[in-house]
Every structure is written in structure tokens, then in C-alpha cells.
């Protein structure tokens, strides 16, 4: 009788077994300010998502002092990479005493991050009816879903004009978005797939509120005064031509929603596509 090799034991010993459930490997980390960083990780081959959606990601928490048990600490994060990308990118705030981001900000290439591969969200093209111009309104890390949608071919197929406004406290907080938009010009793949010069459809409108920059003020105030429309050379939003997506802090989302209702825009959802959709930034 031939002796059977204990296959399971051998394969376990030679295979790298992820230390975390649903673990993905970090492939890149970039720090922008003491409050902001971005990172990339591997993407499960089977994971599909629509540009603009979010997933739950995180790390194992500290052991429970009584039982010694550890539980995953997960938060919703917008996927900043487009749906066609091989990797997943995220853009995050760092909160020094935040349960997750106090740890997450220290991740390095090769580390593992938990990813629950069940993407959901309302900032998707499916939740909007056809229009001429799309507006992306972001504050802070709320830029993340738009980093995905700005690299999504459908955005340019569906609209003649794409306006992205980003309001941050300080100039350094604009870097991630500014660099990303700048890089679109030289992106050979996107210029080939979407069409040479596709990025000319984008109007980028960055503003700061607490540090001097070429355009100061909250986007909401700049719209109310008419200054933003004048700068951009477009009329105020109207239900015939304009569609919008909002992603920022809660007060910002609510204020814009109110303004949109005054413009006559109706909030949409996956099940009921309309003129605009809202998502709040997922802060620690
Ligand atoms: P401000 O500095 O005037 O509060 P945060 O980092 O707190 O999430 O804020 C990000 C940016 O969003 C800041 O520039 C902040 O401006 C701005 N902001 C906060 N609340 C609103 C709001 N209700 N409408 C427009 N912008 C807002």
C-alpha cells in the first residue's frame, strides 16, 4: 500500500494564509497632509462594483480586555479607483483618536487590510436620468467617489460637461484631487478608450475656507452669491440639463440638498433615478 501524503497539511504549510478574514494586501500608501492619506490594495478577482460605490474595510480591533477576543473594526469607504481598475484605491482622513484611522494611517505596503467585498451606494450613474452636465460636489475626503467617477468612461459618454467642486479647509487638502485631475491629461489608456482630450470636458473648481488660495469660500456661499456660476461660465443648476452628486460632511450635504430642491431638482436612488444623489463622507 502506498503511503498517502497529507496534502492538506502540506498545502497549508506552503501557502501564505491570510492572517485576517477577507484580507487584501496593501500595494501603495501616500500621505498628503497630517490629516489625509490614500492607499491601494489588491482586488479580489470576483469583486465587481460600479464606479462611485463604497465597501466596508478595516483592521482587527484591540483584544477585549475581559475575553481576549478580537473583532474586525470596519468602516464604510468609498472606492476611489474606477470599476475597471485591477487594484482598489481609498482616500482617508487620519483621526488621531479615531478607532480605525488611528491604526489605518500606519499601514505599509505588504500589510493586510480587511475588505468585505459587497459594494453598495447611491453615487452611481444608474441613479440619475440623462442630462447634459454633471456636477460633483465634494468636501474633504468626499472627493473619493469622484476620483472613481472621473476615471469612469461612462461619465464622459453620458455628459457633455463635468464640473467638480472641492471645498477644503487648507490648500494641502486639495492635492490628492488636483493631482488626479492633472494626471488624466497624460493617461494614455483613458485618452485612447474614452477619446483623445476627453478631460477637456472637466471644469475643476477647488476652494479653501481656512487658508489663502486663488478661490476662497464655501461652495454653497459661492453658489448663492452667483460667483461660482460666473467663474465657471454656466447658469445655475436646472432640472432640464443638470445632474449632481454630493459627497461631503453632513451639514454640507443637507445645505446643498436644500439648495437643489429650490432649483427644482429631485433626489434620486438606484430604484428611482432622478436629478441628483447624496452620500455622506464616511468619517471615523
Ligand atoms: P469651514 O472651514 O467654513 O467649516 P471638514 O474638514 O470640517 O469636514 O470641512 C471640509 C470643508 O467643508 C471645509 O472647508 C468647511 O468649511 C466646509 N464645510 C463645512 N460645512 C459646510 C457647509 N454646510 N456648506 C459648505 N461647506 C461646508
Amino acid at each position: 500500500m502506498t503511503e498517502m501524503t497529507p496534502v492538506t497539511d502540506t498545502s497549508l504549510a506552503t501557502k501564505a494564509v491570510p492572517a485576517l478574514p477577507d484580507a487584501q494586501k496593501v500595494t501603495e500608501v501616500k500621505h498628503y497632509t497630517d490629516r489625509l492619506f490614500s492607499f491601494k490594495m489588491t482586488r479580489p478577482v470576483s469583486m465587481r462594483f460600479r464606479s462611485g460605490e463604497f465597501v466596508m474595510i478595516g483592521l482587527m480591533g484591540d483584544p477585549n480586555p475581559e475575553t481576549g477576543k478580537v473583532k474586525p473594526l470596519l468602516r464604510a469607504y468609498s472606492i476611489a479607483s474606477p470599476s475597471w481598475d485591477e487594484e482598489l484605491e481609498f482616500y482617508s482622513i487620519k483621526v488621531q483618536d479615531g478607532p480605525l484611522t488611528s491604526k489605518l494611517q500606519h499601514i505599509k505596503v505588504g500589510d493586510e487590510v480587511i475588505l468585505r467585498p459587497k459594494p453598495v451606494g447611491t453615487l452611481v450613474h444608474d441613479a440619475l436620468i440623462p442630462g447634459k452636465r454633471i456636477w460633483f460636489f465634494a468636501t474633504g475626503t468626499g472627493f473619493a467617489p469622484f476620483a472613481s467617477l472621473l476615471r469612469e468612461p461612462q461619465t464622459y459618454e453620458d455628459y457633455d460637461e463635468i464640473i467638480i467642486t472641492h471645498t477644503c479647509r487648507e490648500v494641502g487638502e486639495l492635492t490628492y484631487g488636483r493631482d488626479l485631475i492633472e494626471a488624466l491629461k497624460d493617461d494614455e489608456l483613458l485618452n485612447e478608450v474614452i477619446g483623445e482630450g476627453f478631460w477637456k470636458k472637466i471644469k475643476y473648481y477647488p476652494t479653501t475656507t481656512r487658508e489663502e488660495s486663488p478661490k476662497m469660500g464655501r461652495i454653497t456661499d459661492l453658489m448663492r452669491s452667483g460667483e461660482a456660476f460666473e467663474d465657471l461660465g454656466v447658469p445655475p443648476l436646472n432640472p432640464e440639463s443638470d445632474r449632481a452628486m454630493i459627497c461631503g460632511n453632513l451639514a454640507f450635504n443637507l445645505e446643498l440638498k436644500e439648495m437643489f430642491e429650490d432649483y427644482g431638482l429631485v433626489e434620486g436612488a438606484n430604484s428611482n433615478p432622478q436629478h441628483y444623489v447624496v452620500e455622506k463622507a464616511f468619517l471615523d
Side-chain angles (χ1 to χ4, degrees), residues 35 139-140 167-169 173 209-210 218 220 249 251-252 255:
R35 294 199 330 133
T139 64
T167 299
C168 291
R169 296 182 188 189
E173 296 173 67
T209 50
R210 303 194 195 184
R218 292 178 166 196
T220 41
N249 63 53
F252 171 77
E255 211 174 307

Side-chain angles (χ1 to χ4, degrees), residues 32-70:
Y32 295 91
T33 68
D34 55 355
R35 294 199 330 133
L36 294 168
F37 73 115
S38 70
F39 55 96
K40 291 184 185 175
M41 62 169 85
T42 51
R43 173 177 175 175
V45 197
S46 60
M47 183 185 145
R48 296 271 171 277
F49 71 95
R50 294 176 296 173
S51 294
E53 287 189 313
F54 67 84
V55 279
M56 304 298 289
I57 63 170
L59 298 169
M60 292 310 280
D62 292 328
N64 179 307
E66 275 156 34
T67 63
K69 279 194 179 158
V70 286

Side-chain angles (χ1 to χ4, degrees), residues 1-276:
M1 200 177 118
T2 340
E3 202 175 283
M4 299 288 287
T5 324
V7 272
T8 43
D9 285 355
T10 323
S11 65
L12 271 179
T14 52
K15 237 192 226 166
V17 182
L20 301 172
D22 290 333
Q24 297 300 319
K25 274 244 179 323
V26 175
T27 57
E28 186 185 294
V29 184
K30 280 189 190 167
H31 292 269
Y32 295 91
T33 68
D34 55 355
R35 294 199 330 133
L36 294 168
F37 73 115
S38 70
F39 55 96
K40 291 184 185 175
M41 62 169 85
T42 51
R43 173 177 175 175
V45 197
S46 60
M47 183 185 145
R48 296 271 171 277
F49 71 95
R50 294 176 296 173
S51 294
E53 287 189 313
F54 67 84
V55 279
M56 304 298 289
I57 63 170
L59 298 169
M60 292 310 280
D62 292 328
N64 179 307
E66 275 156 34
T67 63
K69 279 194 179 158
V70 286
K71 281 201 299 193
L73 190 55
L74 302 170
R75 292 283 183 275
Y77 268 81
S78 290
I79 304 170
S81 44
S83 59
W84 51 263
D85 208 333
E86 274 177 17
E87 294 187 313
L88 296 172
E89 181 181 334
F90 299 93
Y91 183 45
S92 178
I93 195 153
K94 305 176 198 175
V95 180
Q96 294 320 323
D97 57 355
L100 178 62
T101 64
S102 60
K103 295 180 200 291
L104 196 62
Q105 63 183 286
H106 300 297
I107 52 166
K108 302 253 174 314
V109 170
D111 287 354
E112 289 181 340
V113 171
I114 306 168
L115 167 88
R116 296 270 188 260
K118 292 195 172 52
V120 283
T122 52
L123 298 191
V124 290
H125 285 304
D126 292 346
L128 297 175
I129 53 176
K132 175 174 174 287
R133 182 185 301 122
I134 187 156
W135 295 75
F136 295 147
F137 291 97
T139 64
T141 53
F143 190 89
F146 306 133
S148 174
L149 286 156
L150 284 167
R151 292 180 278 183
E152 166 58 56
Q154 194 187 344
T155 303
Y156 305 89
E157 284 156 19
D158 286 2
Y159 298 97
D160 297 338
E161 204 169 4
I162 294 105
I163 300 181
I164 164 89
T165 84
H166 193 194
T167 299
C168 291
R169 296 182 188 189
E170 293 164 13
V171 177
E173 296 173 67
L174 295 169
T175 308
Y176 173 78
R178 187 186 297 276
D179 287 358
L180 189 137
I181 292 169
E182 198 54 38
L184 293 177
K185 296 179 185 166
D186 302 319
D187 191 315
E188 284 179 23
L189 181 69
L190 286 182
N191 274 291
E192 196 185 314
V193 171
I194 307 173
E196 200 57 50
F198 76 95
W199 46 271
K200 290 180 189 155
K201 285 187 171 184
I202 302 173
K203 283 187 171 163
Y204 174 47
Y205 197 67
T207 80
T208 57
T209 50
R210 303 194 195 184
E211 190 185 359
E212 199 72 41
S213 77
K215 186 52 69 176
M216 302 272 310
R218 292 178 166 196
I219 186 65
T220 41
D221 295 336
L222 293 163
M223 284 163 73
R224 262 192 222 98
S225 71
E227 193 175 328
F229 302 117
E230 219 168 280
D231 291 339
L232 288 161
V234 295
L237 286 80
N238 77 78
E240 267 64 61
S241 55
D242 296 87
R243 303 293 169 257
M245 296 190 183
I246 311 174
C247 191
N249 63 53
L250 192 58
F252 171 77
N253 293 351
L254 293 175
E255 211 174 307
L256 268 185
K257 252 175 89 127
E258 221 174 281
M259 290 175 70
F260 286 1
E261 301 289 334
D262 287 345
Y263 292 137
L265 269 62
V266 176
E267 185 172 358
N270 276 286
S271 56
N272 177 28
Q274 288 291 347
H275 308 127
Y276 78 93

